[in-house]
Amino acid sequence: MTIKFKFILLALSLFSSSLLFATERKKDIITGQREDFSFSGCNAFVIPPPVGIDVPKPNPWVWYAPTLGRGLPGKAERWMIQRLHKKGITIAGIDVGESYGSPKGRQLYQEFYKELTEKRGYSKKPVLLARSRGGLMLYNWAVEHPNSVGGIAGIYPVCNLLSYPGLKRACGAYGMTEQELKEKLKEHNPVNRLAPLAKTKVPIRHIHGDSDRVVPLETNSQMVADRYKALGGPVEIEVVKGQGHNMWEGWFESQKLTDFMITHALRKPNSSKKKTDTHWPQIRGPEQNGYAKSSDLPLKWSEKENVTWKATIHHRGWSSPVIWKDQIWVTTAHKDGKKLFAVCINKKTGKIIHDLPIFDVKKPQKIASINSYASPTPVVEEGRVYVHYGTYGTACIDTKSGDILWSRRDLKCDHETNAGPGSSPFLVGDHLIMNVDARDVQYVIALNKENGKRAWKSDRSVDFKKVPVNQRKAYCMPTLIPRGKDGKQIVSPGAQAIISYVPQDGKELWKVRHRGWSMAPRPIYGHGLIYVIMDYDFPELWAINPEGSGDVTDSHIVWKVKKGMPARSGPVLINDLLFTVNNDGIATCIEAKTGAIVWKKRLKGDYSASPIYNDNRIYFFNESSLCTVLEPSRKFKILATNSLGDEELRASPAVIGKTLFVRTAKHLYRIEKK
């Protein structure tokens, strides 16, 4: 037999085998009417449920990747597809080649998405099923379209270009050199781009083997989980012991992963929208950290540009605005502190709804020139707003009628002459919790929010006998963070110690001793660490592991930054980077896990307000109403600067939807694109 004849027979044999495989594949797993078609020059498929199965409207679907060639989905996915079909869910995908999540591949994905949603009537929120390198493709599309994603399921998905395929192999698909791609990883590497998904609370669930050497668990699914949790996003990782990168049937027969896809594919658009999307109930927002979940905040404004309304707030107060539905609440006070007020403004019109005198004070203690008698920020919920003026009183107000439901004026303390009140309350369940850290008394107290009666009180476990009285006070407020797998704790910085308590009863869990006092910024949480400012005169930023018990001063401080830290403005955490601005306008970028300084730059002016993070932008407001908008990056980049004149500003802004609410010395502004 000649070589030529053997080659022809071999080719015919391979061709026949491929036809047989294709026939078996369709016969074996596809119980619906599979449609293979060409779209934008790429192979695409849609596999709807079999005739006779009820299909919800709009058609729910799972977007599967990768689908290189026409071999996927294949036999392995049979079990999973059958169960999706039984619930009326379609499976679809498109082969964009080895795009590795490149912009070109993302554009093809967006066109395919529009084909299915706009022309074929499929749901605008599919569940994405990312297997292996499909993670690069689907995640990079998802972070640019977070409102178009119902959930992300992953089977050992690639989420890190550095892990697989590596920059040298991937750079060609991106049309860059290896070095150029390295410098732009924040724009193209999924693990560096999770913030938009976390802001919209896109649920994520992966299944991954701990023996995967091709796509290692630690640098892919586990890294996504750690970073996503730090950003406040919902994520679960199922780790399979002993499994690697293979076509083991257990990947595709995971009941939990399949149930996850069914649940989120069948969820109607907007059905998972949380109240926090429309409320800003406390200082630094619903997440306690300055995150604004919405998008499309204005980048530019002035007194004459993008200001919808400007409301006058009488007298003086530095409490930040809090918002519930159509109401905005702030507090204010006479400059001499003898009359204290709560003011409610209509969010839509800027008109005053309530201007309520709350307390009269006969002999107020003199305060610092930079402070006010209405600096603590209220906290608001459905039907009630809780206002606090430090030693001068606390009250609960009916938001509809303006009636005072209860008040307390017995929580007296010595704020110190030329200082004044500063710590704000917050709500945890049925408790209104606040720090009382003064010259004479130091404790944390929880009041029953229904009647104002004491639920619990915990004295600070610090021996203040040898501490000068001016070094016993503080102006910080607590933060609620996780404790273990399912628990919660409140971390409450005070003079000489940072202490953690059980929210339900005030039992002390752990403490870290320090030398400082008069600290003000609220702590923030991420990467399993609590980030706390220690001291006012010489502030330091400490990262603490909050899982200890007892005195953990010598064991649980992970790192410290000792210079250039803020005494009044709080930090903001974005992915792996912390951003701060101190009183003098020195902005600093810090590696959140190590405390290493990435850069330091000076911004214009002095700073008291804490920043807002939204849509890959950080908004820093200085004390002269100038806002500098930065890109949250390892490279210092100013996106815009905006001024509202020279009016004094010390309150932190609030955000609802596409709108900024900014309080200055005399006014409250509604700022949004027009």
Side-chain angles (χ1 to χ4, degrees):
M1 185 180 293
T2 66
I3 293 176
K4 183 177 181 181
F5 184 64
K6 287 181 178 179
F7 177 79
I8 292 170
L9 286 177
L10 177 60
L12 288 171
S13 175
L14 290 172
F15 179 69
S16 300
S17 296
S18 66
L19 287 176
L20 179 61
F21 173 76
T23 302
E24 287 177 345
R25 175 172 58 81
K26 289 188 177 183
K27 181 180 178 181
D28 187 50
I29 74 152
I30 305 305
T31 55
Q33 302 299 311
R34 175 176 178 137
E35 176 190 358
D36 291 290
F37 58 100
S38 179
F39 181 81
S40 294
C42 302
N43 294 327
F45 70 88
V46 173
I47 312 173
V51 175
I53 289 181
D54 290 334
V55 176
K57 297 296 181 183
N59 296 26
W61 58 297
V62 168
W63 189 346
Y64 186 35
T67 53
L68 303 173
R70 292 181 179 268
L72 293 171
K75 287 183 179 181
E77 293 93 341
R78 175 189 178 94
W79 185 93
M80 183 179 286
I81 289 177
Q82 286 179 338
R83 279 148 185 81
L84 294 172
H85 275 171
K86 286 180 181 179
K87 297 296 183 179
I89 300 169
T90 292
I91 300 87
I94 182 171
D95 175 10
V96 297
E98 292 285 21
S99 72
Y100 301 124
S102 68
K104 183 178 179 180
R106 293 175 222 164
Q107 181 58 39
L108 288 169
Y109 267 34
Q110 180 62 8
E111 292 172 5
F112 182 66
Y113 171 82
K114 288 183 178 180
E115 167 71 19
L116 266 63
T117 59
E118 295 178 7
K119 296 183 179 179
R120 298 190 179 214
Y122 282 84
S123 168
K124 293 185 180 295
K125 283 201 169 186
V127 168
L128 314 185
L129 174 56
R131 186 180 66 81
S132 190
R133 71 195 75 185
L136 294 174
M137 304 171 187
L138 286 171
Y139 264 102
N140 269 350
W141 175 83
V143 297
E144 294 174 356
H145 307 279
N147 293 314
S148 299
V149 182
I152 302 177
I155 299 174
Y156 47 76
V158 183
C159 305
N160 188 345
L161 279 167
L162 294 171
S163 171
Y164 180 92
L167 302 187
K168 185 175 181 180
R169 185 173 166 187
C171 64
Y174 282 79
M176 302 179 189
T177 65
E178 183 178 351
Q179 183 61 32
E180 287 171 338
L181 182 55
K182 183 178 180 180
E183 292 173 355
K184 294 189 175 182
L185 280 178
K186 64 181 178 61
E187 301 173 19
H188 301 297
N189 201 20
V191 293
N192 296 338
R193 309 180 72 207
L194 298 170
L197 297 171
K199 283 191 294 182
T200 50
K201 297 295 185 185
V202 172
I204 294 174
R205 184 180 183 88
H206 291 183
I207 184 170
H208 210 126
D210 65 356
S211 299
D212 196 324
R213 299 294 176 262
V214 180
V215 183
L217 168 69
E218 294 78 11
T219 52
N220 289 275
S221 288
Q222 193 59 58
M223 187 176 288
V224 166
D226 293 343
R227 295 184 178 187
Y228 206 60
K229 286 179 182 177
L231 291 167
V235 58
E236 293 183 84
I237 303 296
E238 180 182 351
V239 178
V240 181
K241 293 185 178 181
Q243 283 296 335
H245 207 78
N246 53 43
M247 294 300 286
W248 173 57
E249 64 184 13
W251 303 124
F252 308 99
E253 296 182 7
S254 167
Q255 189 66 55
K256 290 182 179 179
L257 192 69
T258 304
D259 289 344
F260 172 89
M261 289 189 285
I262 290 171
T263 296
H264 295 289
L266 295 178
R267 179 169 289 168
K268 297 296 183 182
N270 298 323
S271 65
S272 62
K273 189 174 182 180
K274 297 182 183 293
K275 291 182 178 180
T276 51
D277 292 331
T278 55
H279 307 315
W280 194 267
Q282 59 184 318
I283 190 170
R284 305 216 71 190
E287 302 297 322
Q288 312 174 97
N289 55 12
Y291 277 24
K293 295 182 181 179
S294 54
S295 60
D296 205 27
L297 282 181
L299 181 61
K300 295 182 179 181
W301 64 85
S302 68
E303 278 276 7
K304 297 181 180 179
E305 179 186 6
N306 287 333
V307 173
T308 301
W309 52 253
K310 175 182 174 182
T312 299
I313 306 298
H314 64 84
H315 292 97
R316 181 179 173 86
W318 292 129
S319 62
S320 299
V322 294
I323 305 170
W324 195 271
K325 294 183 178 178
D326 287 335
Q327 291 190 343
I328 306 171
W329 286 87
V330 296
T331 56
T332 190
H334 283 188
K335 192 172 182 179
D336 63 7
K338 291 186 176 181
K339 288 189 177 293
L340 310 176
F341 301 85
V343 179
C344 178
I345 304 98
N346 184 287
K347 186 182 73 176
K348 294 180 179 179
T349 66
K351 294 182 178 180
I352 303 298
I353 301 172
H354 300 297
D355 188 352
L356 309 171
I358 305 299
F359 296 126
D360 291 326
V361 182
K362 290 183 178 180
K363 294 181 179 181
Q365 193 174 27
K366 187 178 179 181
I367 62 173
S369 60
I370 63 172
N371 203 358
S372 76
Y373 290 95
S375 290
T377 294
V379 58
V380 64
E381 62 176 354
E382 182 67 39
R384 293 184 170 206
V385 63
Y386 305 84
V387 294
H388 180 61
Y389 306 89
T391 188
Y392 305 113
T394 307
C396 172
I397 302 167
D398 185 298
T399 56
K400 184 176 181 180
S401 67
D403 294 337
I404 296 177
L405 301 177
W406 59 258
S407 66
R408 293 282 300 263
R409 304 203 68 180
D410 58 329
L411 304 178
K412 298 293 185 181
C413 66
D414 179 2
H415 289 305
E416 186 171 279
T417 300
N418 293 321
S423 181
S424 303
F426 81 126
L427 286 169
V428 180
D430 293 330
H431 295 160
L432 180 71
I433 299 176
M434 65 192 81
N435 291 351
V436 182
D437 291 305
R439 289 163 57 97
D440 53 346
V441 292
Q442 302 83 28
Y443 59 86
V444 181
I445 190 167
L447 305 181
N448 185 311
K449 71 176 186 179
E450 296 298 323
N451 53 32
K453 293 181 179 180
R454 187 173 80 181
W456 56 259
K457 176 185 174 185
S458 291
D459 291 324
R460 297 290 195 183
S461 61
V462 174
D463 184 358
F464 285 106
K465 292 178 182 178
K466 296 182 180 181
V467 177
V469 291
N470 69 306
Q471 297 178 18
R472 300 177 185 181
K473 65 186 189 305
Y475 304 102
C476 199
M477 67 179 293
T479 296
L480 183 71
I481 70 168
R483 171 80 172 176
K485 290 185 178 180
D486 303 312
K488 295 289 184 182
Q489 60 181 314
I490 57 172
V491 177
S492 174
Q496 310 300 318
I498 300 154
I499 306 178
S500 167
Y501 302 94
V502 176
Q504 291 81 7
D505 58 14
K507 178 183 177 182
E508 183 176 311
L509 295 169
W510 57 261
K511 69 180 174 185
V512 168
R513 290 173 282 106
H514 60 78
R515 58 164 175 76
W517 70 93
S518 291
M519 65 284 294
R522 191 178 194 183
I524 61 171
Y525 175 81
H527 299 297
L529 301 172
I530 186 77
Y531 301 98
V532 188
I533 292 293
M534 184 281 298
D535 200 25
Y536 184 89
D537 290 340
F538 302 98
E540 299 178 6
L541 177 61
W542 290 10
I544 300 168
N545 176 352
E547 293 299 331
S549 298
D551 189 329
V552 296
T553 308
D554 298 327
S555 58
H556 280 58
I557 301 172
V558 178
W559 55 255
K560 301 177 183 179
V561 176
K562 296 186 176 183
K563 293 183 178 180
M565 292 297 97
R568 295 192 289 268
S569 174
V572 63
L573 173 64
I574 303 161
N575 296 326
D576 287 339
L577 299 175
L578 282 160
F579 296 86
T580 66
V581 64
N582 72 8
N583 299 11
D584 300 323
I586 302 300
T588 306
C589 174
I590 305 164
E591 289 188 354
K593 294 180 180 179
T594 66
I597 303 298
V598 180
W599 53 254
K600 280 180 179 282
K601 297 289 181 180
R602 182 179 290 277
L603 305 182
K604 293 181 180 179
D606 300 328
Y607 288 78
S608 290
S610 295
I612 291 292
Y613 171 67
N614 174 269
D615 206 17
N616 211 35
R617 301 169 185 169
I618 312 174
Y619 294 76
F620 287 103
F621 286 83
N622 75 12
E623 292 175 7
S624 299
S625 300
L626 178 76
C627 178
T628 300
V629 186
L630 297 185
E631 180 180 286
S633 168
R634 289 180 173 271
K635 291 185 177 180
F636 178 75
K637 183 178 180 181
I638 294 177
L639 301 176
T641 55
N642 307 285
S643 177
L644 291 172
D646 294 327
E647 205 170 317
E648 191 178 4
L649 184 154
R650 295 182 185 273
S652 299
V655 175
I656 294 292
K658 301 177 181 180
T659 306
L660 271 168
F661 295 90
V662 179
R663 183 182 189 180
T664 62
K666 298 179 181 179
H667 298 98
L668 180 67
Y669 290 81
R670 175 174 176 143
I671 302 170
E672 59 196 327
K673 289 182 181 179
K674 290 187 177 180

